[in-house]
Amino acid sequence: MKVVHVITRLILGGAQENTLITCRLLAQRGHDVTLITGPALGPEGELFEQTKGAGYKVIVLDRLRRAINPLYDVPSYFAIKKLLRELQPDVVHTHSAKAGILGRFAGHALKGKWAKGRPAVVHTIHGLAFHPYQSNLLNKFYIAIEKATARRTDCFISVADAMTQQALAAGIGRPQQYVTAYSAIEEGDFLEPISHERRVEFRRKYGIAEDAVVLVTIARLFELKGHDYIIESAKELAKRFANCVWLFVGDGNLSDTYKKQVRDLGLPERIRFAGLLPPGEIPLAIQACDILVHCSLREGLARALPQAMLCGRPAVSFDVDGAREVVNDNTGRLIEAKSVEQLIEACAELIEDEELRRRLGEKGRESVKEKFSPETMVDRIEEVYSKLVGGRF
């Protein structure tokens, strides 16, 4: 089967890692796969190195950018359409908001351009462009576009049931268009325990004591990612526990803001900034710590949550979007969004109880191993492709 994937940019992020795993495994299973993407601009890092030697083709469109700009978007649409006409795929599979709209419109517009008709059009919902933290007018704009694009979509693949529920509640598509395939994680390095020496070495690199209880957050230093709430909770927790340290892994446009806030609060010895780490070092970062804290206000289903569980670490998360599909009383603590008080109490409970952390970590690992494996996700995606292609061509 010939498949074209379209994604806006290959930065370090869950949607991008998901897409690369999908492309690689589909290529290994004998499919002819092409990835169309834009340049990886910004401070979030890039993943182009992972595409080398992976068995599929990569085409970069310079004008395919994240921000809405007709001067870029219109040429990108016609460039994608031209490429699809040349490639003649059986399936066009899009990811991310911008590429999802342009790619699906382009794929659907190719009806009758070759003997087998237009390609099947699939879109993975990693997250939704509309949310409560922006203006109603902007939300209405995004929902209207998504409704129009849904009419050009044969199937939606959601990374969490919550994404399906929210999309349908907004009137986007029909229930029979949706399936869920949890976003795959390359599990090997997360499941393989690190040595005591590597744990100590990693901590020493960031000035963290060997016996400290470390709360790690893996997220871009960006709006709505929730670092504000973690810093606020640290003000109280640092007074109650002399041996706890926070580690922020990631970079973004709020990096300097948060570093200044930490200095002003007198917490630079308690809150460390690791900066951007390559994907291969994330398992080490999690295993060198004790608790994952994730306070983002909007996610599809944050990959950091199952990643922590694969490492045998409990997770504390705001109850947003798909978080409750992995975080519960057996695997961590799910708390009300924006509640610093609940965040403090959940973290305090885990900081002071090592046995509880171990027990939750073990339960968490068992709960996500199969659900988030690459094979499970790609099996589901292949089922979707086969059903669409077999039923339409």
Side-chain angles (χ1 to χ4, degrees), residues 94-318:
T94 63
H95 309 260
S96 68
K98 172 66 73 65
I101 292 166
L102 299 179
R104 283 182 283 166
F105 267 90
H108 189 272
L110 293 175
K111 184 175 181 179
K113 295 300 181 182
W114 51 85
K116 63 187 176 182
R118 69 168 177 84
V121 178
V122 178
H123 179 65
T124 291
I125 302 177
H126 301 274
L128 293 165
F130 52 92
H131 56 84
Y133 307 105
Q134 62 189 10
S135 72
N136 287 334
L137 184 62
L138 191 56
N139 280 336
K140 288 179 180 177
F141 170 73
Y142 284 135
I143 290 171
I145 292 177
E146 289 292 349
K147 285 181 176 179
T149 313
R151 293 192 289 270
R152 294 159 174 83
T153 307
D154 295 301
C155 183
F156 291 97
I157 297 176
S158 297
V159 299
D161 292 337
M163 294 294 93
T164 297
Q165 295 160 7
Q166 291 175 25
L168 288 172
I172 297 168
R174 307 177 308 280
Q176 57 267 34
Q177 286 178 276
Y178 287 85
V179 300
T180 296
Y182 289 103
S183 187
I185 296 167
E186 299 284 10
E187 296 181 332
D189 289 340
F190 292 94
L191 292 170
E192 183 67 28
I194 62 170
S195 66
H196 176 73
E197 290 73 21
R198 289 191 71 200
R199 175 183 170 93
V200 171
E201 180 184 2
F202 181 89
R203 289 183 169 217
R204 186 180 298 125
K205 181 178 179 180
Y206 299 104
I208 299 172
E210 183 177 340
D211 62 349
V213 177
V214 184
L215 300 89
V216 62
T217 297
I218 301 172
R220 288 184 295 151
L221 302 179
F222 201 71
E223 290 85 358
L224 302 180
K225 289 297 184 180
H227 296 82
D228 321 65
Y229 303 101
I230 299 170
I231 293 171
E232 186 69 21
S233 72
K235 287 166 50 179
E236 172 64 25
L237 289 166
K239 297 173 187 175
R240 290 166 58 175
F241 301 98
N243 68 328
C244 64
V245 174
W246 289 259
L247 181 68
F248 289 165
V249 176
D251 199 356
N253 62 359
L254 293 181
S255 176
D256 292 339
T257 300
Y258 289 139
K259 288 177 181 177
K260 181 179 185 303
Q261 186 178 355
V262 167
R263 289 195 301 270
D264 291 346
L265 291 171
L267 294 173
E269 298 304 312
R270 306 298 292 275
I271 300 178
R272 306 289 188 172
F273 292 82
L276 201 62
L277 296 182
E281 290 187 22
I282 298 301
L284 171 62
I286 296 174
Q287 292 197 53
C289 300
D290 302 286
I291 304 162
L292 180 100
V293 181
H294 191 78
C295 292
S296 176
L297 293 174
R298 59 180 295 261
E299 297 279 352
L301 196 164
R303 291 167 70 78
L305 297 174
Q307 285 174 343
M309 294 174 191
L310 288 169
C311 291
R313 300 297 184 267
V316 176
S317 174
F318 281 168

